[in-house]
Amino acid sequence: MARSRYVMVMAITLMCLIGIVSWKSPQAVMVALTEPQYADSPRVAVQRFWGYLDTRQLELAEQLVLAKDLNPFGQQEVELWKKQVTNNPLISLKKLEFANSLDPNIVMVSVEWSSPVKDKILETYLMETRSTAEGWKIIQIQKVNAQSLARVQ
């Protein structure tokens, strides 16, 4: 009986693998498995950026940002968040919500952080991305406040 379960699990796994390879080319599948940054999208790049900040992997978060293309306010936001997560070890990312955008390269994201020491922090950002040879990179970060959202709608 146990042997047949293992055979069924192996058969299902093999069918899934065949499905993935038939859906994408074998080369694309292997590149995605060995170098995950090639399988990402603008949303995944933004999600990784905030995830790296949450896990205090600041060097990896910086690699997702093209610093030379950032405007001064965007650079200031990145530095502010790096300082915030460094100075408060108890702060953690609670929620990351994406909003639909007309331009696939521009991602609107609401970020919620909480800490036992401070009240929760809820911010909304427009993040512009660009595809590069290393994968998707963030080229602009703009904080959106409630007043500017009221004007847009």
Side-chain angles (χ1 to χ4, degrees), residues 86-126:
T86 303
N87 292 340
N88 187 354
L90 300 177
I91 194 169
S92 65
L93 182 65
K94 289 298 178 194
K95 192 186 304 182
L96 197 64
E97 289 183 349
F98 293 96
N100 291 334
S101 170
L102 296 176
D103 186 355
N105 293 340
I106 297 177
V107 178
M108 182 179 237
V109 62
S110 293
V111 184
E112 183 180 329
W113 293 80
S114 68
S115 168
V117 178
K118 288 185 169 184
D119 293 335
K120 80 176 175 182
I121 302 168
L122 182 60
E123 300 288 347
T124 303
Y125 291 94
L126 275 176

Side-chain angles (χ1 to χ4, degrees), residues 38-117:
Y38 285 109
D40 67 0
S41 65
R43 277 188 163 188
V44 172
V46 170
Q47 189 171 12
R48 280 188 189 149
F49 172 76
W50 292 107
Y52 287 149
L53 283 178
D54 186 34
T55 57
R56 302 340 186 240
Q57 297 176 339
L58 302 179
E59 299 83 24
L60 294 174
E62 285 177 359
Q63 289 177 4
L64 287 173
V65 176
L66 287 177
K68 63 179 170 45
D69 290 342
L70 274 179
N71 61 19
F73 294 117
Q75 189 65 36
Q76 183 180 356
E77 284 297 325
V78 171
E79 294 301 321
L80 176 81
W81 277 106
K82 285 182 358 188
K83 192 183 309 177
Q84 184 123 354
V85 298
T86 303
N87 292 340
N88 187 354
L90 300 177
I91 194 169
S92 65
L93 182 65
K94 289 298 178 194
K95 192 186 304 182
L96 197 64
E97 289 183 349
F98 293 96
N100 291 334
S101 170
L102 296 176
D103 186 355
N105 293 340
I106 297 177
V107 178
M108 182 179 237
V109 62
S110 293
V111 184
E112 183 180 329
W113 293 80
S114 68
S115 168
V117 178

Side-chain angles (χ1 to χ4, degrees), residues 122-140:
L122 182 60
E123 300 288 347
T124 303
Y125 291 94
L126 275 176
M127 302 178 85
E128 186 177 348
T129 59
R130 180 188 308 151
S131 180
T132 65
E134 296 90 30
W136 287 91
K137 301 286 184 176
I138 298 167
I139 58 170
Q140 291 297 335

Side-chain angles (χ1 to χ4, degrees), residues 19-45:
I20 290 171
V21 171
S22 65
W23 182 46
K24 292 284 187 181
S25 70
Q27 181 182 6
V29 171
M30 292 309 293
V31 168
L33 290 174
T34 58
E35 298 181 30
Q37 69 267 21
Y38 285 109
D40 67 0
S41 65
R43 277 188 163 188
V44 172

